[in-house]
Amino acid sequence: MNSEVYRHILQKYWHYDDFRSIQLEIIQSIGNGKDTLGLMPTGGGKSITFQVPAIASEGLCIVITPLIALMKDQVENLRHRGIKAAAIHTGMSHDKILATLENCIFGAYKLLYVSPERLTSETFIKKISRANVSFITVDEAHCITQWGYDFRPSYLKISDFRRYFPNAPILALTATATLPVVKDIQKQLGFKEDNVFRMSFLRPNLAYTVRKANDRDEFIRQTILKTDGSVIIYSQTRGGAEEMTKYLKEKGISCTFYHAGLDNNERNKRQEEWKSGSVQAIVATNAFGMGIDKPDVRMVIHRECPASIEAYFQEAGRAGRDGGKAVSILLYDESDHKRLLSQLRTDFPDKDYIRKVYDDLAYFFQVAVGDGYNCRHEFNIDSFCLNFRHLPVRALAAIRLLDQAGYIEFTDDDDNKSRVKFLLERDELYRLRNNSPLEDKLIETLLRSYGGLFVDYMFIDETFLAELLGIDSTHLYFTLKQLNDKNILHYIPRKKIPHIRYTQRREEGKRIVIPRNIYEDRYEKAAERIEAIVNYAEDDEKCRSIQLLTYFGEKAKTKCGLCDVCDNKEGKLDDDKRKYIYNKVMQLLSDKRPHPVDELLELFHDTTILAEVMTEMSHEELIGNDGNDIFLI
């Protein structure tokens, strides 16, 4: 397709004059029906590379992403621009999902966002296979490879899904990928040929800095006080994010915290407070940042060292997306190295322990050897660990490895959404007289938003309902409970209990085999990533930017001149120059007679440092200057 067609779409919907960097090359590649991999660092404009060709192409572009919040944001933004887009996620009712899929079949949308888990749904496959699919986009494509830092088994289902659309090319996008990861992404997605477009990972406006701080929280407080603009502080734990926020608030800094433990309404509220500038700083876990389009972040601080350069680089890259000067600060000391190694051992417990967890699960669910295939059980992790004396974090690591080895399927966020069914007939609802205005409004909103509530239990999205009603999720919960207590409806709150399904008959624990590619290979790669980030943090001789670019396989031409290493080098060089000039001046004046200023200027090319040294020597009353000559005092 002619590049002018793509430019016209860009100008019409986004009001940009032209594409940036490799955007057009990626668009033309996927537009020509070629499997394409785009490597674009945070802020590189990934979404344009699939949204523009989706509009230009006949049919539907399926966008696979693991982030529900990102789905909702992008769909909302696209619709605001007048582009037909939809998403299917766990917060939707069954009827709404079916309606969305029917609209896809009839060509009502140009883009459909789904999670990788959705690709195994029989209903979804049956419906979507009837749609005219132009191409498939895989966002966060590094998640498909076990060599990546954020491997997710659900991504492996994408290659099977491709078979339903043999003529649809695939566009894979990621912000962080080493050379082995680049090769494996293409292999796992079944690329017909290597086809990679790389955008430079160089960020000339971003100063990477590593600091050692005895009191990290106080260091962060003082740093924020010196910073004009928005700040992100990354913490490795939810508790750490909350404690850091409390400390900063007590010290008078406007901030909030963000992590996956908050409900959607609260997360959205805090995110908006920070994006709008109502608060200067947001303290967050790695759950925060994906799809956040805030260009004027002046600083990103890592309170603790992350487990990989990939994670660090992606999070650090959220600073300075407007091209203005920005700083990324990594706080690091030996305790970080010890913590990362300890976490590695937790993530990969020994195989005998994994076998014991497998046996304990069978006892917990009362599953005999040879039984259990395809049986699904609610799994209360607290009860399990209490009964069998396991540490929850270690037990969960073993369960996830059993999942990846194919013995069980562990789902910790299944379709256990809240459900509602009306107990009264429609006519009886209209005759109710003792409800509060909010209760009546909620009944009306439920009836308007969901069908079939009088026939069966329907899944509801509490965040969506709360937004429609203009209240918070807690207020909505208690209003639903009140209607439940009045026997107007039956409300089943969302379950937080995960599920385990046996994907094969139960084996004896001693027969369990954890393959090398699931355990040893991934352990070694994780250890290598820890070693890489530790080496980066401890290397104060090589430019930080050069270190990062080299890690991602890019040749760096020049030092950044901004990072702490370059800054120290420049400082040391200046000190050496000062000493040299000082000694030369003293040597020149050692004959104890005046010398013309021009004589000094001929000796030294760096007149700036010469002037500074002479001023210092004058203040120390070592030399005098009458305007024409320099002499010893």
Side-chain angles (χ1 to χ4, degrees):
M1 193 175 288
N2 191 303
S3 60
E4 289 307 312
V5 174
Y6 297 128
R7 284 195 180 90
H8 174 72
I9 291 170
L10 182 74
Q11 291 163 3
K12 178 181 178 180
Y13 293 103
W14 283 271
H15 310 299
Y16 297 146
D17 291 331
D18 207 345
F19 295 101
R20 289 189 289 153
S21 186
I22 60 172
Q23 284 179 329
L24 183 57
E25 295 174 72
I26 293 174
I27 289 168
Q28 288 178 320
S29 177
I30 193 67
N32 289 330
K34 296 181 180 179
D35 292 338
T36 305
L37 172 57
L39 303 179
M40 305 176 74
T42 302
K46 284 190 299 176
S47 58
I48 290 288
T49 64
F50 62 84
Q51 291 170 349
V52 168
I55 297 167
S57 303
E58 289 291 330
L60 175 74
C61 170
I62 299 175
V63 184
I64 301 167
T65 175
L67 306 162
I68 291 177
L70 181 61
M71 287 184 202
K72 292 178 178 178
D73 286 346
Q74 290 211 1
V75 168
E76 184 179 333
N77 289 335
L78 288 168
R79 288 177 174 174
H80 181 71
R81 296 179 189 279
I83 300 165
K84 295 174 181 178
I88 291 177
H89 52 79
T90 54
M92 296 167 63
S93 69
H94 183 65
D95 284 352
K96 193 169 183 181
I97 290 172
L98 290 178
T100 301
L101 289 171
E102 289 292 337
N103 284 328
C104 289
I105 294 168
F106 292 113
Y109 302 119
K110 298 301 294 183
L111 297 107
L112 174 68
Y113 289 76
V114 297
S115 69
E117 289 80 10
R118 182 69 54 182
L119 306 183
T120 58
S121 164
E122 290 183 12
T123 301
F124 176 76
I125 291 171
K126 184 177 179 180
K127 290 285 186 182
I128 205 66
S129 59
R130 293 164 53 199
N132 176 24
V133 173
S134 54
F135 65 97
I136 299 168
T137 298
V138 181
D139 200 13
E140 308 299 329
H142 59 273
C143 295
I144 201 172
T145 169
Q146 295 189 48
W147 312 132
Y149 76 101
D150 194 19
F151 171 63
R152 302 187 192 188
S154 58
Y155 265 70
L156 296 176
K157 300 162 185 172
I158 297 172
S159 57
D160 292 331
F161 181 70
R162 279 200 75 177
R163 297 172 190 167
Y164 296 98
F165 308 99
N167 298 321
I170 198 158
L171 172 59
L173 298 167
T174 182
T176 50
T178 59
L179 294 178
V181 167
V182 167
K183 290 182 180 179
D184 202 41
I185 288 172
Q186 296 177 89
K187 178 183 175 183
Q188 296 294 339
L189 289 174
F191 272 43
K192 296 177 178 66
E193 59 181 358
D194 286 356
N195 189 28
V196 184
F197 295 88
R198 291 179 175 85
M199 184 175 171
S200 174
F201 282 18
L202 178 65
R203 294 289 304 278
N205 64 313
L206 183 55
Y208 298 100
T209 300
V210 178
R211 290 279 186 262
K212 289 184 172 70
N214 293 328
D215 187 336
R216 299 190 188 205
D217 291 355
E218 180 57 20
F219 173 88
I220 291 171
R221 182 189 74 83
Q222 292 180 14
T223 302
I224 293 174
L225 287 175
K226 301 172 189 172
T227 303
D228 293 325
S230 293
V231 179
I232 304 173
I233 304 148
Y234 279 106
S235 173
Q236 292 298 298
T237 65
R238 297 177 184 181
E242 294 182 18
E243 290 168 12
M244 176 88 246
T245 301
K246 181 181 178 183
Y247 178 83
L248 292 176
K249 279 185 171 180
E250 288 173 350
K251 299 294 182 178
I253 292 176
S254 64
C255 65
T256 188
F257 66 85
Y258 182 108
H259 57 63
L262 299 169
D263 66 46
N264 288 336
N265 223 24
E266 192 61 32
R267 287 204 298 270
N268 291 337
K269 175 188 171 187
R270 291 166 189 247
Q271 182 176 296
E272 286 305 315
E273 284 177 345
W274 175 76
K275 284 175 71 176
S276 67
S278 298
V279 297
Q280 181 184 11
I282 189 162
V283 190
T285 60
N286 60 7
F288 177 79
M290 290 288 188
I292 300 301
D293 187 20
K294 184 169 173 61
D296 59 344
V297 178
R298 299 273 65 88
M299 183 176 289
V300 172
I301 303 173
H302 283 82
R303 187 173 181 255
E304 302 93 11
C305 185
S308 70
I309 285 182
E310 290 94 334
Y312 168 71
F313 184 79
Q314 191 169 52
E315 291 161 2
R318 291 176 183 132
R321 289 172 62 171
D322 58 358
K325 290 185 70 173
V327 180
S328 168
I329 299 176
L330 170 62
L331 299 182
Y332 174 86
D333 60 28
E334 182 58 30
S335 67
D336 287 281
H337 192 185
K338 292 177 180 176
R339 174 182 53 79
L340 291 172
L341 291 177
S342 175
Q343 183 62 49
L344 180 64
R345 289 189 292 271
T346 299
D347 290 343
F348 291 89
D350 65 73
K351 289 187 175 181
D352 284 341
Y353 177 77
I354 297 171
R355 294 184 183 102
K356 174 170 173 41
V357 168
Y358 180 82
D359 281 338
D360 288 348
L361 285 172
Y363 295 133
F364 187 63
F365 297 132
Q366 296 295 296
V367 178
V369 172
D371 289 340
Y373 172 65
N374 216 27
C375 290
R376 197 162 175 265
H377 307 271
E378 284 191 354
F379 180 55
N380 187 316
I381 182 68
D382 295 325
S383 176
F384 173 74
C385 290
L386 185 64
N387 283 330
F388 296 94
R389 301 191 177 184
H390 290 296
L391 291 173
V393 175
R394 195 162 180 243
L396 280 173
I399 289 167
R400 289 193 172 99
L401 288 166
L402 288 166
D403 180 329
Q404 291 163 26
Y407 289 97
I408 61 172
E409 182 181 78
F410 174 57
T411 311
D412 57 357
D413 189 19
D414 201 1
D415 282 346
N416 297 318
K417 301 178 294 298
S418 300
R419 290 179 289 168
V420 163
K421 178 186 176 184
F422 276 110
L423 301 177
L424 299 180
E425 295 297 328
R426 187 183 293 270
D427 292 339
E428 293 177 294
L429 287 178
Y430 294 134
R431 291 197 291 270
L432 293 172
R433 293 290 180 268
N434 298 320
N435 289 340
S436 69
L438 179 57
E439 288 172 341
D440 283 335
K441 191 175 179 183
L442 174 54
I443 290 171
E444 180 184 344
T445 304
L446 283 167
L447 293 172
R448 196 171 61 242
S449 303
Y450 303 98
L453 288 168
F454 297 98
V455 179
D456 200 0
Y457 290 95
M458 302 301 296
F459 291 120
I460 62 169
D461 182 350
E462 287 163 305
T463 302
F464 170 71
L465 286 171
E467 288 172 355
L468 289 177
L469 293 166
I471 59 177
D472 59 36
S473 295
T474 303
H475 201 173
L476 175 69
Y477 170 81
F478 284 113
T479 308
L480 284 165
K481 288 289 286 181
Q482 287 166 2
L483 293 173
N484 182 88
D485 294 340
K486 291 180 177 180
N487 292 317
I488 294 171
L489 55 75
H490 188 204
Y491 167 51
I492 303 174
R494 179 184 180 92
K495 296 180 183 178
K496 300 241 176 161
I497 299 175
H499 283 76
I500 284 178
R501 180 177 70 86
Y502 281 82
T503 53
Q504 55 183 273
R505 296 182 187 279
R506 183 210 156 185
E507 295 272 5
E508 291 182 356
K510 63 183 180 181
R511 296 182 182 276
I512 292 298
V513 177
I514 309 296
R516 178 176 179 81
N517 68 317
I518 297 295
Y519 191 91
E520 285 85 358
D521 290 349
R522 289 185 56 232
Y523 178 91
E524 289 166 10
K525 289 295 178 183
E528 287 173 8
R529 286 193 288 273
I530 289 172
E531 184 180 4
I533 189 71
V534 167
N535 288 342
Y536 167 82
E538 293 182 348
D539 187 345
D540 58 2
E541 293 295 322
K542 189 182 294 181
C543 167
R544 300 285 178 200
S545 184
I546 288 178
Q547 289 188 60
L548 292 170
L549 293 174
T550 301
Y551 180 81
F552 291 113
E554 185 175 338
K555 291 182 180 178
K557 296 176 182 177
T558 58
K559 296 176 183 178
C560 72
L562 299 172
C563 70
D564 60 305
V565 174
C566 289
D567 191 47
N568 283 339
K569 293 280 186 189
E570 290 299 320
K572 289 176 183 176
L573 188 61
D574 288 352
D575 288 344
D576 291 341
K577 281 184 180 179
R578 289 172 188 277
K579 289 177 184 177
Y580 175 76
I581 292 172
Y582 175 88
N583 291 333
K584 277 291 186 182
V585 171
M586 294 301 288
Q587 183 181 345
L588 182 69
L589 300 179
S590 62
D591 58 6
K592 297 184 179 179
R593 63 184 181 83
H595 286 261
V597 173
D598 290 344
E599 189 177 346
L600 284 173
L601 294 176
E602 289 175 7
L603 282 174
F604 307 108
H605 297 296
D606 196 333
T607 56
T608 302
I609 294 183
L610 171 62
E612 291 176 0
V613 171
M614 289 173 61
T615 300
E616 290 170 3
M617 293 177 75
S618 177
H619 288 161
E620 293 171 9
E621 298 185 347
L622 294 173
I623 62 172
N625 181 356
D626 61 8
N628 295 311
D629 295 325
I630 305 293
F631 49 87
L632 283 177
I633 295 178

